[in-house]
Amino acid sequence: MGSSRAALRPATASDDSFLFEVYASTRAEELAATGWAEDQKQAFLEMQYEAQRTDYTKRFPKSDLSVIVVDGADAGRLWVDRSSDEIRVLDIALIPEYRNRGVGTALLQALIRKAQAAETALRHAVYKTNDGALRLYGRLGFTVVEDFETYVLMEWVGRSQCE
């Protein structure tokens, strides 16, 4: 991350357009291959963003959605759910200019420390086609615990293996 400093702040309704921008940036490469017109891409992104937000809010009602702030600038989002048996990363995403700068690694390492302190698992579902994320999670000690059609559930276990 170099001299960059990452912090989190709770997302509010006023962050919605930025949070949509973050989401859209994660789908840009995929949508570029569709050949769709810009208005079609925009409509699709809006529908998918709202569906994801509705789903996460319904399934994880106590989850925390935060804006990732780097050196005072909004840089991404981190959505985390905490329960008695796990810390679940629902989503971690950065806009392109903040990717590959160690920000995501630092945030994940902080979550690993929290999981370790709580002696609980840290889990995240990763799309099978997201090679960069799969490498990052592997490097941080996550392992695949479940394989689904389009994604894998990866886990970092914070409790002692001897228990």
Side-chain angles (χ1 to χ4, degrees):
M1 195 161 60
S3 62
S4 297
R5 288 272 188 232
L8 298 174
R9 67 170 174 78
T12 66
S14 65
D15 293 310
D16 198 50
S17 63
F18 174 72
L19 294 172
F20 174 77
E21 176 190 336
V22 174
Y23 174 79
S25 76
T26 68
R27 306 291 301 267
E29 187 177 322
E30 169 191 3
L31 290 178
T34 64
W36 293 349
E38 287 306 311
D39 62 329
Q40 291 173 306
K41 291 178 189 176
Q42 185 70 19
F44 176 80
L45 286 168
E46 288 172 4
M47 179 186 68
Q48 292 292 295
Y49 174 73
E50 200 52 47
Q52 182 190 63
R53 185 165 58 174
T54 301
D55 177 52
Y56 286 176
T57 302
K58 188 176 188 178
R59 286 193 302 138
F60 305 99
K62 295 180 181 177
S63 62
D64 296 314
L65 175 58
S66 300
V67 173
I68 300 167
V69 180
V70 177
D71 296 331
D74 292 348
R77 73 178 187 170
L78 177 63
W79 204 332
V80 178
D81 186 66
R82 291 168 179 83
S83 66
S84 60
D85 64 332
E86 72 174 1
I87 298 172
R88 173 74 64 108
V89 176
L90 304 178
D91 189 49
I92 182 170
L94 295 158
I95 55 177
E97 54 266 37
Y98 290 97
R99 294 178 190 157
N100 301 311
R101 291 175 50 183
V103 175
T105 299
L107 292 168
L108 289 168
Q109 287 171 330
L111 287 169
I112 287 170
R113 287 189 296 274
K114 288 180 181 181
Q116 209 167 19
E119 296 186 336
T120 193
L122 174 61
R123 296 185 180 106
H124 183 44
V126 180
Y127 283 104
K128 289 180 176 181
T129 57
N130 191 340
D131 294 332
L134 292 169
R135 278 192 306 276
L136 170 62
Y137 285 95
R139 194 169 63 243
L140 291 174
F142 284 75
T143 57
V144 173
V145 292
E146 231 174 312
D147 191 335
F148 299 94
E149 189 175 328
T150 57
Y151 64 93
V152 291
L153 182 63
M154 299 190 79
E155 177 178 88
W156 188 94
V157 179
R159 62 180 68 82
S160 167
Q161 300 299 323
C162 301
E163 292 180 334

